[in-house]
Structures are given as structure tokens and as C-alpha cells.
Amino acid sequence: FIKHEMENYVERAERIRNGMVDPSVDNMLKITNEARLLGTDPRLINKEAINESDSKVNRCIENIYEEYKKSESVKGTQIVFCDVGTPNSDGRFSVYDSIKAELINKGIFENEICFIHDAKNEIQREEIFSDMRSGNKRIIIGSTPKIGTGTNIQDRLTALHHLDCPYRPSDIEQREGRILRQGNINPEVNIYRYVTKDTFDSYLWQIVEQKQKFISQIM
């Protein structure tokens, strides 16, 4: 499915480059956004797509579970960043719900997993953060805008997972600033970056790297 979709994106890009398509109908931004979804999980493009056992979502689930077991003695916590496939009520595939369901299947208690999107106001948001600091909640899944800044939950963090690639170097900095900061009781932490082979993933990470080099040169 991934290979077929990527070939489709190449054909669409050729038509756009040759001026054969009205930009309001199809454009490179649209293709990039769809390719980003495909690289995260093909079910974001087609709900009926096969859930490959070696997909990056499933690799991420395995890593979360291993980190969970490994840090049991300190009630270690983890952040999973994903800016696409967020929870929804309109029946679209949700990466968040899929990860949560699989972790529960592995034996992690449902009340130890939370979505930042569950917080409907500042009070609920602070309650989630407090539960993360105490280790009552062990895994939080969220997007860069919602937990990228102003999030004080570093106390027990043992691992951070970049399930997708954000658009700006500053977003990566914001994400990793949640775990790489004073007040964390763990002397070492793990940061995971996931890339799906033969998709736009490596291209997106390269773009962020090039942007960062350019910014660094100016600074």
C-alpha cells in the first residue's frame, strides 16, 4: 500500500510541476501533508490498510512497553509526540487510540495512559501534569502545540518518542526540552526518532536539519 501511494504522489507531483493541475485542486503542500500521514501510519490514509507488525507505530509501542518495564522501580514516565492522528469523534483512524489500546493489551493499566487532548481546561491540564510528576500516570501522548511549551513534567521522564517529524527545528527543541531539563531524577534518558522506509519521513527530517544549519549559520 505504501509503495503504491508513494508512486501516486510522484505522478501527482509531476503533473503539478508541468502545470497540468490547478493549484486549488492539487498542490505540493497537499501531497507533503498526505505523505506525512502515510509515513506515520497508512491507516491515516486508508482505514482498511494493513497494520504492519514492523510499522513505526508498532515499533514505538514495543519501545514504550520496554521502557515502562525497565523503569518500574522509579515509576518512570514517557512522552510520545505525534502531531497527526490525534483523537477525534468522526470515525477517522486515531494513532493515539491505537497506541493506547495496544499498550493496554500488553498489560499497562488504562489509568496510567493519558492524552493531553483529554484536558478541556487549564485545571484538568494541571491535574494531568501533576499525575505525571508523581508517576500516577506513566505515559502521555500529545502534540507539539499542546505539550511543547509550558509543560513541567520532567521529574520521572525516562524516554521521549518522536513518532512524527515536526516542521521546524524549534519544535524539536521544544519537544526535547520537556525531558532534557533540571529536576529530572533520572541521570540518563532515551530519545527515540522513528522513520518509515521509502516514505517522505527521511526527507522531512533532512529539511528540518537543513533549516537548523541555516539558522545556526545566521546565529
Side-chain angles (χ1 to χ4, degrees):
F1 178 75
I2 288 179
K3 189 180 176 193
H4 177 266
E5 279 297 307
M6 287 303 295
E7 287 170 356
N8 178 34
Y9 297 150
V10 170
E11 287 172 14
R12 283 168 58 189
E14 280 298 316
R15 288 200 296 272
I16 291 164
R17 200 173 291 118
N18 295 331
M20 297 164 68
V21 187
D22 188 310
S24 64
V25 176
D26 202 7
N27 54 66
M28 287 307 294
L29 182 61
K30 195 171 180 220
I31 291 175
T32 303
N33 286 336
E34 287 178 31
R36 191 179 184 211
L37 294 176
L38 181 71
T40 305
D41 195 301
R43 290 172 292 177
L44 290 168
I45 298 290
N46 180 353
K47 274 183 79 172
E48 306 306 317
I50 296 168
N51 178 19
E52 298 285 354
S53 59
D54 203 29
S55 72
K56 74 176 179 183
V57 170
N58 286 321
R59 281 287 186 95
C60 181
I61 290 163
E62 289 297 330
N63 289 334
I64 293 168
Y65 184 60
E66 288 305 316
E67 290 280 352
Y68 173 87
K69 287 192 300 183
K70 210 165 62 178
S71 63
E72 189 66 57
S73 60
V74 292
K75 293 179 88 175
T77 59
Q78 301 178 63
I79 301 183
V80 182
F81 276 104
C82 189
D83 293 346
V84 298
T86 53
N88 63 78
S89 55
D90 56 14
R92 285 176 293 120
F93 175 74
S94 163
V95 171
Y96 286 50
D97 290 313
S98 179
I99 292 173
K100 183 177 180 178
E102 288 301 323
L103 291 173
I104 292 169
N105 283 343
K106 285 182 173 294
I108 296 178
F109 296 113
E110 184 174 357
N111 63 2
E112 291 182 309
I113 307 165
C114 61
F115 303 156
I116 189 60
H117 298 71
D118 292 338
K120 304 303 178 204
N121 53 51
E122 203 54 45
I123 293 169
Q124 290 178 359
R125 183 177 149 96
E126 207 34 67
E127 280 173 5
I128 287 176
F129 293 164
S130 176
D131 280 337
M132 286 293 292
R133 289 193 291 270
S134 65
N136 288 334
K137 303 263 185 227
R138 300 276 305 275
I139 296 144
I140 185 168
I141 310 174
S143 60
T144 315
K146 286 189 177 286
I147 45 175
T149 53
T151 306
N152 179 20
I153 57 171
Q154 70 273 9
D155 304 45
R156 298 171 188 274
L157 285 174
T158 59
L160 180 147
H161 307 262
H162 292 287
L163 195 53
D164 63 351
C165 176
Y167 283 119
R168 298 172 302 185
S170 60
D171 291 337
I172 296 172
E173 216 173 294
Q174 290 292 352
R175 287 180 175 191
E176 295 183 358
R178 300 313 99 220
I179 193 170
L180 302 174
R181 62 190 300 181
Q182 286 183 323
N184 191 333
I185 63 170
N186 299 297
E188 288 186 3
V189 296
N190 288 324
I191 293 176
Y192 296 86
R193 295 184 182 187
Y194 299 88
V195 177
T196 303
K197 195 177 174 185
D198 298 328
T199 68
F200 263 37
D201 272 6
S202 55
Y203 169 70
L204 292 171
W205 281 108
Q206 282 167 5
I207 285 177
V208 169
E209 185 184 27
Q210 285 161 7
K211 284 180 185 173
Q212 185 55 59
K213 280 179 183 170
F214 179 66
I215 292 164
S216 298
Q217 283 168 357
I218 291 173
M219 296 307 282

